[in-house]
Amino acid sequence: MTSDTRNATLDFDDKSLELPMRSPTLGPDVVDIQKLYAQGGIFTYDPGFTSTASCESKITYIDGNKGELLYRGYPIDQLAEKSHFLEVCYLLLYGELPNAEELNEFIPRVTRHTMLHEQMSYFFRGFRRDAHPMSIICGVQGAMSSFYHDSTDINDPWQREVASIRMIAKMPTIAAWAYKYSIGQPFVYPRNDLDYASNFLHMCFAVPAEEYVVDPIIARAMDRIFTLHADHEQNASTSTVRLAGSSGANPFACIAAGIACLWGPAHGGANEAALNMLREIGTVDRIPEYIARAKDKNDPFRLMGFGHRVYKNFDPRAKVMKESADEVLGLLGIENNPTLQVAKELERIALEDPYFVEKKLYPNVDFYSGIILDAIGFPTSMFTPIFATARTVGWIAQWKEMIADPTQKIGRPRQLYTGATYRDYVDVENR
Ligand code: SDX
């Protein structure tokens, strides 16, 4: 808790309230309104939480104007370049970069939890073959609470730790098996001799009929995509996880709730929608038509992968992703990928267009990620499951932080009610 003695004065009707203010280590000051209703008999109104801090956190900081993203204080571009995903997981979970000994203890803990209970494989077979992989991973993640009873007691720090490691370790297996099920291929078991990203790629693309060797270039790109998606402050899915967790729900159910929220096209589903949009545009000469549609108030079409609630400058993840797309597609010899060319030209045109400039709409993390995932060989339906796999550690870090906070209580927002006032029931014959 940061010490502060300043107050904000709120004058209304015949009241004048002094509301305490608090200063963060980074970002805007806050006005603490927890006692506003008790003292003033009024609510605040902020349906999209555009001006509302829902919690205190030490995990991730975003400066939307500077286009800055810090995981525990470390900038995302440095972590993407110099770190790797499991080290970033340690940082997000425990607050500090691990030393060599800590890292060498952490990695095997995750590696040895990558297998699923064998009976869980039957859950997959209950889905239609053409089920969207997000429906499968949402269901299987929630079902984990029926298998791992020894790590569902949120009041036991050790069980919270075991559940956390299990989910970080098993999400790649669940996502990979959802993909294998959708293409009618047999499940490939995790391998403990492979790093996190290589293991995921192997489970997705290996087949029993022949050996599959993971391309280190692809593995590095995959690992970097996981790092870029690992956490992002109090976004919609993280807020969903926190709200579910505030009721005391078991961790597996909370993460399943986060997966469900992430699926939306305004959130994590945008990477799938962005690539589908780029493919629909098809060629550079059709870009103006889509720019016009995006600007047309009567057209619900939006440029998917553009805009952000917080970033009013470049999304730093999009910059790294764009560089990675150039590198990966160049190394794969497909730098002239038409979709990448359309994306770059669309970005160039949009960033010169007054509509996008005035509304401060820039490419976000989802604009380029799909191009890399497509080049690696994933169908668009796997883009959001990959986002969910990466974000699992962020959801868990935020959930653990909330559960460990002695002041936390169940989240229960109020409302601005504009419905019918009190009225008595009328029998049907009198209506
Ligand atoms: C993610 O919160 C996070 O941190 C999320 C995330 C994470 O890591 O967890 O970063 C991941 O979800 C990234 C965002 C992915 N979504 C998309 O790319 C979908 C397309 N973008 C939009 O739908 C929109 O930009 C949002 C949802 C991302 C943000 O919406 P806001 O903050 O509620 O902004 P808004 O809808 O009020 O838009 C402001 C104005 C509007 O115009 P006016 O009504 O003021 O005239 O900008 C316009 C919007 O119409 N606008 C767009 C646009 N996005 C906003 N116009 C055209 N194309 C767009 N993409």
Side-chain angles (χ1 to χ4, degrees):
M1 173 92 78
T2 51
S3 61
D4 214 314
T5 56
R6 292 173 301 152
N7 286 327
T9 302
L10 181 62
D11 297 318
F12 62 99
D13 300 339
D14 58 348
K15 294 187 176 73
S16 181
L17 300 180
E18 294 297 311
L19 299 168
M21 293 191 68
R22 290 180 57 192
S23 294
T25 47
L26 288 172
D29 288 350
V30 301
V31 178
D32 185 334
I33 59 166
Q34 296 180 80
K35 293 186 168 45
L36 176 63
Y37 180 57
Q39 293 175 357
I42 61 171
F43 297 145
T44 59
Y45 181 68
D46 185 12
F49 309 117
T50 51
S51 304
T52 295
S54 61
C55 64
E56 177 177 350
S57 180
K58 297 175 169 41
I59 298 171
T60 294
Y61 174 71
I62 302 170
D63 185 318
N65 293 321
K66 290 200 292 189
E68 185 176 62
L69 167 58
L70 309 177
Y71 288 169
R72 300 287 190 175
Y74 295 98
I76 190 65
D77 54 331
Q78 291 185 25
L79 292 171
E81 181 190 344
K82 299 175 179 177
S83 185
H84 59 86
F85 182 65
L86 280 188
E87 183 176 79
V88 167
C89 287
Y90 186 101
L91 173 66
L92 289 170
L93 289 170
Y94 307 117
E96 299 295 335
L97 286 169
N99 61 35
E101 183 184 347
E102 290 162 335
L103 191 58
N104 291 335
E105 186 274 337
F106 179 72
I107 290 176
R109 280 175 60 208
V110 175
T111 302
R112 289 195 170 81
H113 277 89
T114 50
M115 284 181 69
L116 293 178
H117 187 295
E118 188 62 16
Q119 195 140 337
M120 288 192 73
S121 66
Y122 298 118
F123 279 120
F124 293 81
R125 294 180 171 85
F127 288 91
R128 287 168 48 118
R129 283 286 182 182
D130 60 354
H132 193 292
M134 281 300 281
S135 62
I136 298 176
I137 70 170
C138 190
V140 174
Q141 171 64 40
M144 281 183 49
S145 54
S146 67
F147 278 85
Y148 299 106
H149 295 289
D150 61 341
S151 61
T152 54
D153 178 359
I154 63 159
N155 299 305
D156 177 346
W158 174 243
Q159 291 197 34
R160 295 205 299 265
E161 180 68 14
V162 172
S164 300
I165 296 298
R166 275 177 166 152
M167 286 187 278
I168 293 165
K170 296 177 194 305
M171 266 300 278
T173 310
I174 293 171
W177 286 16
Y179 172 56
K180 283 302 201 185
Y181 185 73
S182 72
I183 58 175
Q185 289 186 358
F187 297 144
V188 174
Y189 286 91
R191 276 183 32 187
N192 292 350
D193 62 317
L194 297 176
D195 64 60
Y196 194 88
S198 300
N199 191 33
F200 175 65
L201 291 167
H202 185 264
M203 288 189 287
C204 287
F205 298 123
V207 290
E210 59 188 40
E211 187 184 4
Y212 176 83
V213 178
V214 178
D215 180 329
I217 297 166
I218 302 298
R220 179 67 189 131
M222 190 76 254
D223 187 272
R224 184 176 293 153
I225 286 173
F226 284 146
T227 291
L228 292 172
H229 287 84
D231 193 47
H232 213 239
E233 198 209 72
Q234 304 312 317
N235 59 84
S237 54
T238 297
S239 299
T240 300
V241 170
R242 278 181 172 260
L243 199 55
S246 73
S247 76
N250 76 71
F252 304 105
C254 295
I255 300 305
I259 293 170
C261 178
L262 186 76
W263 195 358
H267 190 14
N271 52 18
E272 176 177 357
L275 191 77
N276 290 337
M277 173 194 73
L278 292 170
R279 283 178 172 158
E280 182 185 333
I281 294 173
T283 53
V284 169
D285 62 317
R286 295 189 64 202
I287 289 175
E289 169 196 340
Y290 283 83
I291 294 276
R293 285 189 57 195
K295 293 157 62 174
D296 180 355
K297 279 280 159 253
N298 300 315
D299 188 332
F301 172 79
R302 287 192 164 184
L303 284 186
M304 302 314 284
F306 256 77
H308 198 277
R309 172 62 59 76
V310 176
Y311 290 122
K312 300 311 173 189
N313 194 322
F314 250 91
D315 180 334
R317 303 167 298 177
K319 289 174 79 169
V320 177
M321 204 71 84
K322 181 178 178 182
E323 291 159 9
S324 191
D326 279 333
E327 178 190 352
V328 171
L329 273 68
L331 291 167
L332 293 174
I334 49 176
E335 60 273 17
N336 297 321
N337 175 296
T339 308
L340 179 60
Q341 302 316 315
V342 168
K344 287 184 174 180
E345 183 62 6
L346 175 57
E347 175 189 353
R348 185 190 66 77
I349 294 173
L351 296 187
E352 292 175 354
D353 185 297
Y355 173 93
F356 294 90
V357 174
E358 286 157 20
K359 294 181 187 297
K360 299 183 178 180
L361 302 174
Y362 291 86
N364 58 49
V365 67
D366 294 313
F367 189 64
Y368 284 103
S369 57
I371 292 168
I372 303 173
L373 295 173
D374 174 57
I376 291 174
F378 288 107
T380 54
S381 60
M382 277 300 291
F383 291 3
T384 310
I386 288 168
F387 191 152
T389 298
R391 185 55 58 87
T392 295
V393 64
W395 288 329
I396 286 168
Q398 300 270 352
W399 169 79
K400 288 179 74 176
E401 181 179 64
M402 179 196 69
I403 296 290
D405 178 351
T407 67
Q408 79 92 13
K409 57 182 72 169
I410 188 167
R412 206 285 186 210
R414 301 304 304 275
Q415 64 181 4
L416 168 66
Y417 177 71
T418 55
T421 54
Y422 186 94
R423 52 184 172 168
D424 291 321
Y425 181 81
V426 178
D427 293 331
V428 65
E429 56 270 13
N430 299 325
R431 291 174 201 158

